[in-house]
Amino acid sequence: MRDYKLVVLGAGGVGKSCLTVQFVQGVYLDTYDPTIEDSYRKTIEIDNKMISLEILDTAGVAQFTAMRELYIKSGMGFLLVYSVTDRQSLQELMDLREQVLRIKDMDRVPMVLVGNKADLTEERAISVEEGIEVSSNWGKVPFYETSALLRSNVDEVFIDLVRQIIRNELEAVSAPATPKAQTKSEAPVQDRSAGQSKNVPSAAKAKQQPAKAAATRSRNPPSTETKKKSKKRGPCRIL
Ligand SMILES: Nc1nc2c(ncn2[C@@H]2O[C@H](COP(=O)(O)OP(=O)(O)OP(=O)(O)O)[C@@H](O)[C@H]2O)c(=O)[nH]1
Ligand SMILES: [Mg+2]
């Protein structure tokens, strides 16, 4: 089984490690320990296929970002994470996305825009609408608000990313893509934040099937196993 290499990018303290550890191990890290670089493994069943994931949790803090070019080169899909409480963290994603597109030399790379810490309603500095706007400006990159704390939309962002990679590969087989000439990789713009419910314009519809997973972290043995029931998803919605 081949590894799908996912890379989690974003400014320091936005919750990249918490999202990754929630997804892989099903636990929430309460204390902030700036990451240098951590690698996790997880096997997951998506759309009746067993998929082996290698997830690289990267450093947001500037002095640890020297390896960025290398891991972007080897990454197949990218979670671009900001915190809804930190405007600067969204600003930093603009440069990060540009870096990914430049290094991959593609117009379109499997990617998900993630607004984390959606549970912190009092401290929110970036609205859902603003996240949707950024996603539109980025060519309808799928967008979710998440809470690592509440485990809200955590599985969804990783699964969406894997589906994009699979879809890209299928498209590449049927019509080999040339750099900077890839076309459709449309996926639903979906967003969920605590206590908000609202419809937004749609991108293409993705078929949802049950996803289940077994997790390991490279430094630690497997600690959790998660199983997710099939969820029907409209073309686009905020839950
Ligand atoms: N309320 C709330 N706090 C969160 C959430 N996610 C992360 N945090 C907190 O934010 C802090 C930073 O989280 P990390 O996951 O370590 O952030 P990071 O992006 O990995 O930071 P770097 O490794 O320095 O790049 C920690 O204190 C977490 O407990 C969330 O969804 N909600
Ligand atoms: Mg971290």
Side-chain angles (χ1 to χ4, degrees), residues 90-159:
L90 181 56
Q91 203 48 46
E92 283 187 39
L93 283 192
M94 307 298 164
D95 287 345
L96 272 172
R97 175 176 173 268
E98 287 302 318
Q99 240 179 308
V100 170
L101 296 180
R102 178 178 55 75
I103 291 166
K104 302 301 273 185
D105 198 23
M106 298 272 188
D107 288 330
R108 192 132 195 147
V109 174
M111 199 177 273
V112 176
L113 174 65
V114 180
N116 189 43
K117 306 196 186 180
D119 57 285
L120 294 176
T121 46
E122 302 273 291
E123 292 160 50
R124 180 184 279 272
I126 298 168
S127 66
V128 175
E129 287 72 18
E130 223 174 314
I132 293 170
E133 199 184 323
V134 172
S135 133
S136 301
N137 293 340
W138 289 5
K140 291 192 178 132
V141 163
F143 164 58
Y144 298 75
E145 282 198 352
T146 57
S147 167
L149 173 66
L150 303 177
R151 208 180 204 290
S152 155
N153 268 349
V154 173
D155 290 348
E156 284 81 350
V157 294
F158 285 94
I159 289 168

Side-chain angles (χ1 to χ4, degrees), residues 10-19 28-35 57-61 116-120 146-149:
V14 296
K16 298 181 296 298
S17 300
C18 287
L19 284 168
Y28 176 68
L29 301 174
D30 212 3
T31 49
Y32 179 31
D33 178 14
T35 306
D57 174 24
T58 69
V61 176
N116 189 43
K117 306 196 186 180
D119 57 285
L120 294 176
T146 57
S147 167
L149 173 66

Side-chain angles (χ1 to χ4, degrees), residues 176-193:
T178 52
K180 296 233 173 195
Q182 285 198 322
T183 50
K184 53 178 184 202
S185 176
E186 299 280 288
V189 174
Q190 190 190 60
D191 169 33
R192 183 162 77 190
S193 62

